[in-house]
């Protein structure tokens, strides 16, 4: 999922080609054994900025809920997390794993059957749903109120699927990343925007001229993606998530970013 100012595809491909030559089978982690990583000493994380509060750049550094959780995984592996900003399509299609751009994807990404065909997912770590962001004062309270009006969505997301399935008679407008979508709602370029509730609620909190008019119970769950067959890394992520929920680390990180 369920943000995102993308790097140029050519630059991303060039970086990936460089990384491809650095694949390591060196063991890491406890007892000298662990998952295979693309680059020794690093846990490379693909994401697509911005997607606050999950991943966002502040003061030159990428921070967020997902970032803090993956830092727990990196610490468990005795390596350092390094974040790679890449187009969301490359993540969603599994291309970034195929060309060894990264070890895992943390991009506020909903677990779906289509995505599970091209990558393996960790256990769910966040419950999400779709929501509708509008300007304050508008009469829009649901998608049906947008007939003959404009609804913006982010490309290659579950919000896009929901908009296309339920936006009968609505003019749909596609945006490359959630930053452009939010700007379009704020400027009146579109009458509403659909995306994951966590992102839209965070935006509305900092932009009181907007508000979340509706949420749609889609039963979505976020997961961290890994290369197909990389069970060692997937299992280690699951172990870290389970331990974080038991020892209170998960709750502490959740409060930090969501209150």
């Amino acid at each position: 999922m369920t943000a995102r100012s993308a790097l140029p595809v050519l630059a991303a491909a060039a970086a990936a080609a460089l990384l491809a030559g650095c694949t390591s089978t060196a063991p890491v982690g406890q007892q000298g054994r662990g998952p295979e990583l693309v680059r020794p000493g690093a846990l490379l994380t693909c994401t697509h900025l911005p997607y606050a509060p999950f991943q966002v750049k502040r003061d030159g550094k990428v921070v967020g809920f997902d970032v803090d959780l993956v830092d727990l995984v990196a610490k468990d592996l005795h390596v350092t997390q390094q974040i790679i900003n890449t187009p969301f399509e490359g993540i969603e299609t599994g291309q970034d794993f195929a060309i060894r751009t990264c070890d895992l994807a943390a991009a506020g990404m909903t677990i779906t059957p289509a995505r599970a065909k091209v990558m393996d997912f960790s256990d769910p770590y966040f419950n999400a749903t779709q929501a509708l962001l509008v300007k304050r004062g508008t009469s829009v309270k649901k998608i049906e109120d947008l007939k003959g009006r404009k609804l913006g969505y982010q490309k290659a997301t579950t919000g896009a699927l929901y908009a296309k399935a339920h936006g009968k008679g609505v003019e749909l407008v596609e945006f490359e990343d959630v930053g452009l979508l939010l700007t379009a709602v704020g400027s009146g370029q579109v009458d509403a925007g659909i995306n994951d509730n966590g992102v839209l609620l965070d935006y509305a909190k900092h932009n009181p001229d907007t508000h979340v008019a509706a949420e749609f119970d889609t039963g979505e769950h976020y997961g961290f993606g890994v290369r197909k067959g990389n069970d060692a890394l997937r299992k280690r992520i699951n172990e870290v998530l389970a331990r974080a929920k038991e020892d209170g680390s998960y709750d502490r990180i959740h409060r930090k970013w969501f209150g």
Side-chain angles (χ1 to χ4, degrees):
M1 329 247 158
T2 282
R4 305 144 189 258
S5 61
L7 289 175
V9 174
L10 184 60
L18 177 61
L19 290 174
C22 301
T23 300
S24 170
T25 56
V28 298
Q30 298 175 349
Q31 300 178 349
R33 301 174 62 83
E36 176 187 327
L37 299 178
V38 169
R39 182 185 298 167
L43 182 64
L44 303 184
T45 301
C46 277
T47 193
H48 185 41
L49 302 170
Y51 206 63
F54 296 92
Q55 312 93 12
V56 63
K57 201 167 193 176
R58 292 179 182 168
D59 300 322
K61 183 179 180 181
V62 179
V63 297
F65 180 72
D66 281 3
V67 177
D68 284 355
L69 286 180
V70 176
D71 273 341
L72 296 180
V73 178
K75 182 179 179 181
D76 183 73
L77 294 173
H78 304 287
V79 298
T80 302
Q81 179 181 189
Q82 294 183 15
I83 298 171
I84 299 171
N85 183 26
T86 185
F88 189 64
E89 281 184 290
I91 297 172
E92 191 203 30
T93 60
Q95 179 186 12
D96 285 325
F97 294 122
I99 61 176
R100 300 296 197 271
T101 301
C102 52
D103 298 299
L104 67 84
M109 184 165 53
T110 298
I111 301 169
T112 69
R115 292 169 180 169
K117 290 179 180 180
V118 295
M119 71 184 81
D120 289 334
F121 278 102
S122 70
D123 292 338
Y125 70 90
F126 189 85
N127 297 330
T129 190
Q130 292 304 305
L132 203 64
L133 182 76
V134 300
K135 294 276 285 185
R136 285 200 178 275
T138 181
S139 60
V140 173
K141 295 182 179 179
K142 53 186 183 296
I143 286 185
E144 289 77 9
D145 295 335
L146 289 164
K147 287 185 178 180
R149 304 168 79 174
K150 294 181 179 180
L151 171 63
Y153 66 85
Q154 182 187 351
K155 183 179 182 181
T157 62
T158 50
L161 296 176
Y162 194 92
K164 292 172 182 178
H166 297 87
K168 185 177 180 180
V170 178
E171 183 179 348
L172 300 179
V173 183
E174 182 175 274
F175 293 91
E176 182 67 28
D177 62 58
V178 77
L180 295 174
L181 170 62
L182 297 174
T183 297
V185 174
S187 66
Q189 182 182 344
V190 295
D191 299 285
I194 188 170
N195 207 281
D196 293 357
N197 58 344
V199 174
L200 299 190
L201 289 166
D202 182 76
Y203 181 82
K205 181 171 64 177
H206 296 96
N207 295 270
D209 60 327
T210 65
H211 76 110
V212 172
E215 293 186 57
F216 315 110
D217 187 9
T218 52
E220 297 179 43
H221 306 284
Y222 288 174
F224 296 125
V226 301
R227 176 173 51 82
K228 246 340 187 177
N230 194 353
D231 287 341
L233 180 56
R234 182 182 58 82
K235 289 177 181 177
R236 185 65 70 87
I237 294 170
N238 288 342
E239 290 171 2
V240 172
L241 288 175
R243 188 162 58 245
K245 291 178 180 179
E246 290 176 359
D247 67 18
S249 300
Y250 180 94
D251 289 340
R252 173 181 53 78
I253 294 170
H254 192 282
R255 284 194 299 271
K256 173 182 175 181
W257 293 104
F258 295 98

